[in-house]
Amino acid sequence: MSVVTTDPRFLLLLHHHHHNHRRATSFKPVPKFQLISERRLPFHLNCRQIASRRNNVGTRHSYPLNALSSSGVETSESLDVTFRETFRLQRPDKLEGKITIRLDCGKNEEYGQLTVGCNLPGKWVLHWGVNYVGDVGSEWDQPPLDMRPPGSIPIKDYAIDTPFGRSPEPEGEVVYEVKIDFNTNSSIAAINFVLKDEESGNWYQHRGRDFKVPLIDYLQDDGNVVGTKKSLGIWPGALGQISNVILKSDAADYKADDIIEPNLQKRPLQGFYEEHSVFKEVFTDNAMSISVRHCLERAKNIVYIETDLPGDVVIHWGVCKDGGKSWEIPSEPYPPETTTFKNKALRTLLQQKDDGRGSWGQFTLDDGFSALAFVLKLNENTWLNCKGDDFCIPLTSSVVTAKDSGLTHSQDEEQLKDFVSAEKFDDTSDSNQTGAAYTDGIISEIRNLVYDISSEKSRKTKSREAQESILHEIEKLAAEAYSIFRSSMPTFTNTNLSEDEDLQPPVKISSGTGSGFEILCQGFNWESHKSGNWYMELHEKASELSSLGFTVIWLPPPTDSVSPEGYMPRDLYNLNSRYGNHDQLKNLVKRLHEVGIRVLGDVVLNHRCAQYQNQNGVWNIFGGRLNWDDRAVVADDPHFQGRGNKSSGDNFHAAPNIDHSQEFVRKDIKEWICWLREEIGYDGWRLDFVRGFWGGYVKDYLEASEPYFAVGEFWDSLSYTYGEMDHNQDAHRQRIVDWINATNGTAGAFDVTTKGVLHSALERCEYWRLSDEKGKPPGVVGWWPSRAVTFIENHDTGSTQGHWRFPGGKEMQGYAYILTHPGTPSVFYDHIFSEYQSQIFALISIRKRQKIHCRSPVKIVKAERDVYAAIVDEKLAMKIGPGHFEPSNGAQNWSLAIEGRDYKVWEVSS
């Protein structure tokens, strides 16, 4: 059992912001303006030894036992002190305050001032940038020099960090503020910002995204705009006229549908004032003193524990033998108020001191045990431990080093096995040697081709057609090598098969890319963690998902995380999350395998949240089993003072970015993902934010873990000109293909290009966009279909976040496209269990019946303003859009298989 250290009293302070990544923490729907949401915060105690007075081995101090009579040892005997230590305990608490946002337009309305304040103590920094009129997307730009307050520091080329200054209020309350002056006639459309407390490393956002203060009247509200709501009256004039008006959280209950068409006439800027609730974690110092005395005459160890922690304190404990990591329950007698917990541990309520200032306990243990291991339980959801491990108190006179003083109370670690390479067949016949030489030649040829296409010179000199030809040649060679491998394995024939039974062709599987016939289900949304037992809910739906035709499911991140959604991981080996516990996850994966569904784990390798601060107060020291220091953090992220090398990708500024160039980091990550494969039974991976590190490291990790299927999230902005999406998106899909190529093709990638083109085509009735300049699909699926995972929605773009929601009412057109086309289609959980379910099921059934796969050829027969039509693998025809299309019956007879709102699919009649 792993110790889960959570506390529902805390309101999580967000650890990341939006502009560099869409991952954001979800919030309660009411009130809309509440900054943070209540959740259980996994918390590992930051404890350290205050005074080390451990005696040298052989030194003896004798004490009378008059104070220890409850031990059962006669008072005439003497005790040797073998261990004495005082630990500093940091007990978490919370402070409540407010963030204030004030926009003052000034009397002449030519100049304005934005004031952002916070009344909680801290080392506050405003991390901010601007958007200009005509900008597309959510990327920030740096403001002009005359707009930056004194002390501002530029962050790369997109943001500014400005420290807050103290500003005493008339009532005596200290407020920390930043004032930004601006010209209302400039081309700046909005000021975007988040707050950061550098003392804690925490970020503060608005409903999971950046705060956005519009400086023009027609700025589209993406759900994070403050100060101007269409449904509310906006007070005219300067701030003095509205200083007594506070825009309350529940007043902002509006829907995205309420947003009206933009009015491109710029109107006078209007002032406002808002307050947002904010909570900050603080830590109260306490202490715990522990001494161990050994009685030679009775072969007993007497452990005395004393602490000044307030309230009831329970010791959750066990004993260990011979330096092992397994907990055991010792024989009686036990201290008063001791109970047994699931036959795995004991729980003892410490006794209150006479003065009421803390509690104490005494434990009498037989010789033969090497250590007392325990954690402290303050209430049902709050546990304190020692830097991510159990407190481990030595019971012998041998010195226990700091390295060995933490034992993890985890049956899972007992089950951890060494990973060994697969044994080779003993058959060394000439034929096998010949086959090995032949496959070695294929592998060598593939390597040469990969080097040829990936080199800088090749990219500059080879045409697109030549590069595509090389890619197809690589795939053919890989398939040939795999077929040789498959032919060397024993085969089994089912003699009961009838002669007329339809035999399936043998499936060829490439490393990390599956069989080509996969249909992926995203098995969660942004709110799934709130149920607290999501794994159990999916367990009940496993059979239904299988009957709908899904062959692979993508599960949410499994690890301990600062954010409840799991995308701010902390202790990677702790698999107790808001979705469920370790055992529930294993049972779910087992059940999914039973119904024929393979399972992808969502792994976040780019960044990791620290558990401890360095000497400068920066959170870059990690805890748990992978207790890295700041050498594991990249050096070019100014927020976390890493001592590693520079990042090999884009930095994610909400958490320390991991330096994958460090050998110890790669070794630990490979061991971890192999452990996940073995311990949980994952079949593959969904890789989060792969823009943050080089794809070659992904190749390393995938070769180590040998997944059945893997897909990376390489999210990038599409190409726009004056606010309109370009028809040619080759540059966008090229960046995704470059990442896939950096992995040596061991992983696929989500086809963000196809999603973006579908958006414009369906929203604007411009279906001609669905054919590129060469008559092929315009996304990654048109260039490298076997590595393209197509989708229309996920937990970021849809769900309650809605960062890039698919055009409303047109979802089935999107599914009619991706479920009939090559690539590996992915269906979002919210759509599966909706009114679309029967239509999605029908499309999946058609795909399976016609054996459409990731490489099926596509012939686009119509791509006009109001209709797109294609024939796939000569077996299936489809059209989307309000325009007309019917496949002609010539050599093939077509029959309508399904039709819905603005889409139809036909099959070849037998």
Side-chain angles (χ1 to χ4, degrees):
M1 181 196 74
S2 298
V3 178
V4 183
T5 57
T6 60
D7 190 340
R9 298 172 302 168
F10 306 147
L11 298 179
L12 177 64
L13 307 180
L14 298 183
H15 278 235
H16 64 298
H17 57 284
H18 168 66
H19 74 90
N20 199 44
H21 193 342
R22 298 139 329 279
R23 189 80 58 238
T25 303
S26 155
F27 301 94
K28 294 190 291 187
V30 178
K32 287 275 185 169
F33 276 156
Q34 185 166 342
L35 176 65
I36 48 185
S37 63
E38 187 168 357
R39 63 209 60 193
R40 302 185 180 204
L41 172 62
F43 171 73
H44 290 291
L45 173 69
N46 181 9
C47 81
R48 64 178 177 85
Q49 296 157 343
I50 294 178
S52 179
R53 295 183 297 274
R54 182 179 295 137
N55 297 298
N56 294 328
V57 178
T59 304
R60 174 172 297 183
H61 292 257
S62 297
Y63 293 84
L65 279 174
N66 55 348
L68 305 173
S69 57
S70 62
S71 67
V73 182
E74 295 181 8
T75 57
S76 61
E77 297 169 350
S78 62
L79 301 177
D80 298 331
V81 175
T82 61
F83 178 90
R84 181 180 292 177
E85 207 76 69
T86 299
F87 295 89
R88 175 192 174 196
L89 307 178
Q90 289 188 304
R91 178 169 47 90
D93 205 348
K94 71 174 185 288
L95 295 177
E96 181 176 359
K98 61 186 178 183
I99 292 174
T100 59
I101 305 171
R102 175 182 303 161
L103 185 68
D104 188 352
C105 300
K107 294 182 179 181
N108 58 9
E109 296 186 349
E110 182 178 356
Y111 294 96
Q113 185 179 74
L114 175 66
T115 304
V116 181
C118 182
N119 66 344
L120 288 178
K123 191 176 180 181
W124 294 100
V125 171
L126 191 74
H127 184 75
W128 65 287
V130 299
N131 295 132
Y132 288 94
V133 175
D135 281 356
V136 176
S138 59
E139 297 297 323
W140 294 9
D141 290 308
Q142 287 186 343
L145 292 174
D146 59 358
M147 191 174 168
R148 306 176 189 181
S152 297
I153 300 173
I155 304 299
K156 290 194 173 180
D157 59 352
Y158 62 85
I160 297 293
D161 274 3
T162 302
F164 281 59
R166 291 169 61 99
S167 177
E169 291 289 304
E171 297 82 3
E173 180 185 24
V174 175
V175 176
Y176 301 84
E177 288 184 339
V178 167
K179 297 180 184 291
I180 300 173
D181 296 317
F182 59 91
N183 188 325
T184 58
N185 295 320
S186 71
S187 59
I188 295 175
I191 299 175
N192 307 281
F193 66 87
V194 293
L195 279 72
K196 182 183 179 184
D197 178 13
E198 291 198 332
E199 287 184 353
S200 62
N202 294 329
W203 297 84
Y204 299 78
Q205 297 177 287
H206 175 45
R207 293 190 295 193
R209 304 186 66 189
D210 310 333
F211 287 88
K212 181 184 286 290
V213 178
L215 303 184
I216 58 176
D217 187 63
Y218 51 85
L219 189 71
Q220 180 175 345
D221 188 347
D222 292 325
N224 59 337
V225 171
V226 297
T228 56
K229 297 297 176 217
K230 302 294 183 182
S231 59
L232 300 174
I234 305 299
W235 307 280
L239 179 65
Q241 297 174 272
I242 61 168
S243 59
N244 294 324
V245 183
I246 297 177
L247 183 60
K248 293 296 183 182
S249 300
D250 53 3
D253 192 7
Y254 72 101
K255 297 181 179 179
D257 296 336
D258 297 333
I259 299 174
I260 63 176
E261 290 296 321
N263 178 5
L264 296 182
Q265 180 181 0
K266 188 167 182 177
R267 300 175 184 174
L269 193 62
Q270 297 167 325
F272 67 87
Y273 176 78
E274 288 187 11
E275 292 182 357
H276 299 258
S277 297
V278 63
F279 292 82
K280 177 182 177 179
E281 290 176 321
V282 295
F283 294 92
T284 302
D285 284 340
N286 293 101
M288 175 177 62
S289 297
I290 301 176
S291 63
V292 179
R293 300 171 181 176
H294 185 240
C295 176
L296 294 174
E297 291 86 350
R298 300 294 299 273
K300 300 282 186 181
N301 288 290
I302 313 297
V303 182
Y304 184 81
I305 300 176
E306 181 180 359
T307 179
D308 61 353
L309 285 167
D312 290 340
V313 178
V314 173
I315 302 289
H316 181 90
W317 63 283
V319 291
C320 306
K321 284 183 177 180
D322 302 325
K325 296 182 178 182
S326 301
W327 283 28
E328 297 182 14
I329 297 178
S331 58
E332 297 187 43
Y334 303 139
E337 302 291 335
T338 296
T339 59
T340 302
F341 178 76
K342 296 184 178 180
N343 293 321
K344 297 179 180 179
L346 297 171
R347 287 184 173 178
T348 298
L349 175 66
L350 297 185
Q351 301 179 48
Q352 291 292 319
K353 296 180 183 178
D354 292 339
D355 59 6
R357 298 180 180 178
S359 52
W360 65 277
Q362 183 177 300
F363 303 77
T364 303
L365 303 169
D366 293 333
D367 276 354
F369 298 114
S370 60
L372 168 69
F374 69 90
V375 291
L376 300 172
K377 181 173 180 285
L378 303 187
N379 57 47
E380 284 303 317
N381 298 289
T382 305
W383 301 74
L384 305 185
N385 56 29
C386 185
K387 296 184 178 181
D389 287 326
D390 307 333
F391 290 96
C392 179
I393 309 303
L395 298 180
T396 63
S397 58
S398 61
V399 177
V400 178
T401 65
K403 178 180 178 181
D404 298 328
S405 62
L407 294 177
T408 301
H409 177 194
S410 172
Q411 287 183 321
D412 303 324
E413 289 191 357
E414 297 170 30
Q415 299 169 3
L416 186 60
K417 299 178 180 179
D418 292 332
F419 293 93
V420 295
S421 58
E423 294 182 0
K424 298 181 179 179
F425 290 109
D426 290 332
D427 187 355
T428 56
S429 64
D430 292 340
S431 60
N432 281 346
Q433 293 175 4
T434 303
Y438 182 56
T439 53
D440 285 346
I442 291 178
I443 293 171
S444 176
E445 190 173 350
I446 290 175
R447 285 175 177 162
N448 292 335
L449 287 168
V450 170
Y451 175 81
D452 185 31
I453 196 172
S454 61
S455 68
E456 187 69 23
K457 180 179 178 180
S458 171
R459 285 199 295 268
K460 292 179 179 178
T461 59
K462 289 189 185 299
S463 66
R464 167 63 55 194
E465 291 80 1
Q467 293 186 30
E468 288 182 4
S469 175
I470 292 174
L471 288 174
H472 290 311
E473 186 65 24
I474 291 172
E475 286 194 357
K476 286 192 292 183
L477 287 168
E480 185 178 357
Y482 189 78
S483 66
I484 295 171
F485 165 73
R486 293 289 295 178
S487 65
S488 67
M489 299 179 65
T491 57
F492 301 90
T493 303
N494 187 344
T495 57
N496 295 326
L497 288 176
S498 61
E499 292 183 359
D500 58 349
E501 193 165 348
D502 184 20
L503 296 177
Q504 296 293 327
V507 175
K508 296 180 180 180
I509 301 176
S510 300
S511 175
T513 58
S515 67
F517 291 89
E518 284 72 31
I519 300 175
L520 176 62
C521 154
Q522 181 176 356
F524 63 100
N525 60 32
W526 193 247
E527 304 296 316
S528 298
H529 67 90
K530 291 185 177 179
S531 72
N533 61 346
W534 188 249
Y535 295 151
M536 301 296 291
E537 293 183 26
L538 283 181
H539 191 283
E540 298 300 318
K541 292 185 167 100
S543 295
E544 183 178 4
L545 290 170
S546 177
S547 66
L548 289 171
F550 293 105
T551 62
V552 181
I553 188 170
W554 156 23
L555 295 184
T559 62
D560 163 48
S561 169
V562 169
S563 64
E565 297 83 9
Y567 289 100
M568 300 290 284
R570 183 168 47 189
D571 184 354
L572 300 185
Y573 278 92
N574 182 354
L575 301 186
N576 297 307
S577 71
R578 289 291 295 273
Y579 299 100
N581 63 36
H582 186 125
D583 291 337
Q584 290 171 340
L585 175 58
K586 288 184 68 173
N587 290 335
L588 170 60
V589 172
K590 179 182 178 183
R591 175 58 181 155
L592 290 166
H593 286 166
E594 289 173 351
V595 298
I597 298 179
R598 297 180 188 265
V599 183
L600 304 185
D602 198 330
V603 289
V604 183
L605 304 179
N606 175 74
H607 53 273
R608 181 183 172 198
C609 291
Q611 291 173 256
Y612 312 107
Q613 296 167 289
N614 67 4
Q615 65 273 16
N616 299 323
V618 176
W619 293 81
N620 61 11
I621 307 299
F622 303 92
R625 181 164 162 180
L626 302 183
N627 54 347
W628 302 331
D629 59 16
D630 51 5
R631 293 173 301 159
V633 180
V634 297
D636 52 346
D637 185 345
H639 299 92
F640 296 102
Q641 298 181 3
R643 291 194 295 125
N645 297 313
K646 289 187 176 181
S647 175
S648 58
D650 295 337
N651 276 334
F652 173 65
H653 294 291
N657 287 248
I658 300 306
D659 179 11
H660 294 265
S661 70
Q662 302 284 359
E663 185 176 352
F664 73 91
V665 168
R666 295 198 306 277
K667 176 179 176 292
D668 285 347
I669 290 179
K670 284 187 282 189
E671 288 180 355
W672 174 62
I673 58 177
C674 287
W675 175 78
L676 286 176
R677 284 271 276 152
E678 181 78 9
E679 173 65 19
I680 301 302
Y682 285 125
D683 301 290
W685 315 114
R686 181 265 184 185
L687 303 157
D688 182 68
F689 195 60
V690 295
R691 274 182 60 183
F693 55 105
W694 179 47
Y697 299 132
V698 173
K699 169 184 173 290
D700 202 14
Y701 302 143
L702 297 187
E703 288 180 347
S705 58
E706 297 182 334
Y708 171 83
F709 192 88
V711 55
E713 180 208 28
F714 191 96
W715 200 277
D716 200 3
S717 297
L718 279 79
S719 302
Y720 292 83
T721 301
Y722 300 115
E724 183 174 337
M725 181 182 290
D726 296 342
H727 180 210
N728 188 328
Q729 294 294 331
D730 287 356
H732 183 264
R733 55 177 168 175
Q734 182 64 60
R735 291 191 289 272
I736 299 176
V737 166
D738 286 346
W739 178 83
I740 300 172
N741 192 49
T743 73
N744 269 10
T746 56
F750 287 108
D751 193 347
V752 181
T753 316
T754 291
K755 174 177 168 64
V757 174
L758 281 170
H759 271 248
S760 283
L762 274 60
E763 281 177 334
R764 304 165 65 95
C765 197
E766 296 175 344
Y767 290 84
W768 49 266
R769 292 181 176 274
L770 292 171
S771 176
D772 69 10
E773 296 172 351
K774 297 183 180 178
K776 294 184 178 182
V780 177
V781 72
W783 278 0
W784 205 347
S786 66
R787 302 302 189 269
V789 177
T790 52
F791 71 108
I792 70 167
E793 207 78 289
N794 63 28
H795 60 294
D796 284 325
T797 65
S799 191
T800 55
Q801 291 200 98
H803 292 327
W804 194 25
R805 200 178 299 281
F806 201 77
K810 302 180 187 294
E811 290 85 355
M812 284 312 305
Q813 287 190 64
Y815 282 122
Y817 182 91
I818 68 171
L819 286 171
T820 59
H821 277 57
T824 300
S826 175
V827 183
F828 184 42
Y829 182 88
D830 289 5
H831 295 157
I832 298 169
F833 295 97
S834 72
E835 67 273 18
Y836 302 135
Q837 183 181 102
S838 60
Q839 298 176 74
I840 291 172
F841 171 65
L843 288 170
I844 292 175
S845 299
I846 295 168
R847 184 181 183 90
K848 287 192 164 187
R849 190 160 59 243
Q850 296 301 328
K851 299 181 177 62
I852 303 301
H853 54 83
C854 69
R855 296 180 178 86
S856 292
V858 177
K859 179 183 178 182
I860 297 175
V861 295
K862 207 169 188 179
E864 301 175 355
R865 182 187 62 83
D866 60 352
V867 64
Y868 167 86
I871 295 176
V872 182
D873 213 2
E874 300 296 330
K875 297 181 290 188
L876 181 152
M878 59 81 64
K879 79 98 180 178
I880 57 174
H884 175 75
F885 171 78
E886 294 281 341
S888 59
N889 286 319
Q892 297 167 312
N893 292 319
W894 298 98
S895 61
L896 183 64
I898 183 176
E899 67 176 312
R901 181 180 175 184
D902 291 335
Y903 78 89
K904 289 183 179 181
V905 178
W906 296 263
E907 296 176 283
V908 172
S909 301
S910 56

